[in-house]
């Protein structure tokens, strides 16, 4: 455990940031999985789910949770799957 006051405060901040980042990543992954499942099942709302998943991927990339290249790759794969 840290002894210095600034280190204690930083540890608290890190815990909060970790929770926030984990929640954001989970939201992104869930959105992508929902799109994949809808496309596999042949659901009618696949285009709407694609838009939601694409927005979630963009948001995660803008927050620095995933790299921009991964975001582009994921969106490209989803778009190709939607067009299929």
């Amino acid at each position: 455990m840290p002894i210095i006051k600034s280190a204690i405060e930083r540890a608290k901040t890190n815990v909060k940031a970790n929770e926030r980042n984990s929640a954001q990543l989970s939201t992104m992954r869930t959105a992508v999985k929902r799109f994949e499942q809808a496309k596999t099942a042949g659901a009618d709302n696949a285009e709407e789910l694609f838009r939601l998943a694409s927005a979630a991927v963009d948001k995660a990339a803008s927050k620095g949770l995933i790299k921009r290249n991964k975001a582009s790759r994921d969106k490209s794969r989803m778009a190709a799957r939607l067009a299929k």
Side-chain angles (χ1 to χ4, degrees), residues 28-67:
M28 181 201 75
R29 289 181 184 136
T30 301
V32 171
K33 284 180 187 175
R34 281 191 183 147
F35 165 72
E36 292 291 336
Q37 290 171 351
K39 188 61 181 164
T40 301
D44 296 334
N45 62 346
E47 284 191 35
E48 181 183 350
L49 290 173
F50 170 73
R51 271 189 261 113
L52 292 174
S54 181
V57 169
D58 280 337
K59 189 170 183 180
S62 71
K63 302 288 183 188
L65 301 177
I66 60 173
K67 294 189 176 185

Side-chain angles (χ1 to χ4, degrees), residues 4-78:
I4 299 169
K5 184 177 179 183
S6 62
I8 292 170
E9 291 170 1
R10 191 66 213 169
K12 288 180 187 176
T13 304
N14 287 342
V15 169
K16 287 181 187 176
N18 187 15
E19 289 172 359
R20 194 177 322 119
N21 291 342
S22 297
Q24 184 73 43
L25 266 178
S26 177
T27 302
M28 181 201 75
R29 289 181 184 136
T30 301
V32 171
K33 284 180 187 175
R34 281 191 183 147
F35 165 72
E36 292 291 336
Q37 290 171 351
K39 188 61 181 164
T40 301
D44 296 334
N45 62 346
E47 284 191 35
E48 181 183 350
L49 290 173
F50 170 73
R51 271 189 261 113
L52 292 174
S54 181
V57 169
D58 280 337
K59 189 170 183 180
S62 71
K63 302 288 183 188
L65 301 177
I66 60 173
K67 294 189 176 185
R68 286 180 302 171
N69 197 38
K70 176 177 167 44
S72 295
R73 184 176 65 239
D74 287 351
K75 287 172 54 180
S76 176
R77 287 178 180 169
M78 286 191 297

